[in-house]
Amino acid sequence: MNRYRTIPSGAPNATRTEEAVLLDMHVHSDYSVDSVVSVDAILRAWERTGILPLVCDHNSIEGSRKVYTQIRRQNPDIPLILAEEISTREGEIIGAFLTEKIPPGLSAAETLDRIRDQGGLSIVPHPFCTHRLCTIDRGVLQESIGRIDVVEGYNARNRSPEADVQARAFAREHKKPVSAGSDAHTPTELAGAYVAVAPFEGPEDLLANLKDAPACFLPADSSVPSTAKRIGRFRRTVG
């Protein structure tokens, strides 16, 4: 079964291409110290929902390596996407399509340089969230936006909808595509947010195809991480 291309043309979430990939662009495995999601749980969620996970653990690419090794055994057409949520001195930045781990503790500028040197994409997660200490510094975000590829416009763990509204407005102002991610740290959060993007082979394709990609989004239950909404409660569609 080809789980890479999952939405037939004409479906409600389909892009203008023949088929689309459902991609949750912010997932954590238990290679993140604050996550209890096993690699097997991520694989089972993918097999059940068809939603491809972008596994970006805190300061590690091992979770994404293990997940994609297994996914690509079942479907070699799916590109290898090694990703990491990197703790810089000024807040977190996600690197996707990496070839090696980027160490934490660098400046945001040097981290962006290293992502670009590896041919990867940079994503700024939850940029306007006010309840996390790890959110990127606002001044640094403004200074760096020309070098950032994607702004996370939907994060299911943001407590206030306004944080996502601000992120999308910021992305529009700077003509950046937006991503959607569950930011799952528990198994029941998996697939809580995703984009329906035209099929892609690498970072340039994904970046281009994100521009027209609709998102599906279900905010996490307020009691997360102790409990969360079931994956089976389907997500409302947002444009």
Side-chain angles (χ1 to χ4, degrees), residues 141-163:
L141 176 62
Q142 288 284 355
E143 293 170 4
S144 305
I145 189 59
R147 305 174 59 213
I148 291 168
D149 295 308
V150 179
V151 174
E152 187 177 68
Y154 302 93
N155 181 292
R157 279 196 160 215
N158 277 341
R159 294 177 184 171
S160 168
E162 182 60 27

Side-chain angles (χ1 to χ4, degrees), residues 43-164:
L43 291 168
R44 287 194 299 271
W46 168 66
E47 290 171 344
R48 183 171 64 252
T49 67
I51 298 171
L52 192 65
L54 182 68
V55 181
C56 45
D57 288 313
H58 298 294
N59 307 315
S60 174
I61 61 172
E62 290 311 307
S64 58
R65 191 190 305 278
K66 287 185 178 293
V67 167
Y68 275 83
T69 295
Q70 293 299 321
I71 285 176
R72 283 165 55 81
R73 282 178 183 168
Q74 297 187 49
N75 188 343
D77 290 338
I78 295 176
L80 174 64
I81 313 176
L82 301 184
E84 176 186 2
E85 190 168 22
I86 307 151
S87 299
T88 81
R89 293 200 297 268
E90 294 91 12
E92 291 179 334
I93 296 172
I94 292 172
F97 293 96
L98 301 179
T99 56
E100 60 184 30
K101 175 185 172 181
I102 296 174
L106 305 174
S107 68
E110 185 172 357
T111 300
L112 289 168
D113 284 343
R114 295 199 181 197
I115 294 171
R116 186 61 53 86
D117 289 346
Q118 293 187 32
L121 293 181
S122 57
I123 305 166
V124 57
H126 43 70
F128 291 92
C129 178
T130 58
H131 74 270
R132 313 181 214 217
L133 298 177
C134 56
T135 297
I136 193 167
D137 178 83
R138 298 283 178 86
V140 172
L141 176 62
Q142 288 284 355
E143 293 170 4
S144 305
I145 189 59
R147 305 174 59 213
I148 291 168
D149 295 308
V150 179
V151 174
E152 187 177 68
Y154 302 93
N155 181 292
R157 279 196 160 215
N158 277 341
R159 294 177 184 171
S160 168
E162 182 60 27
D164 284 338

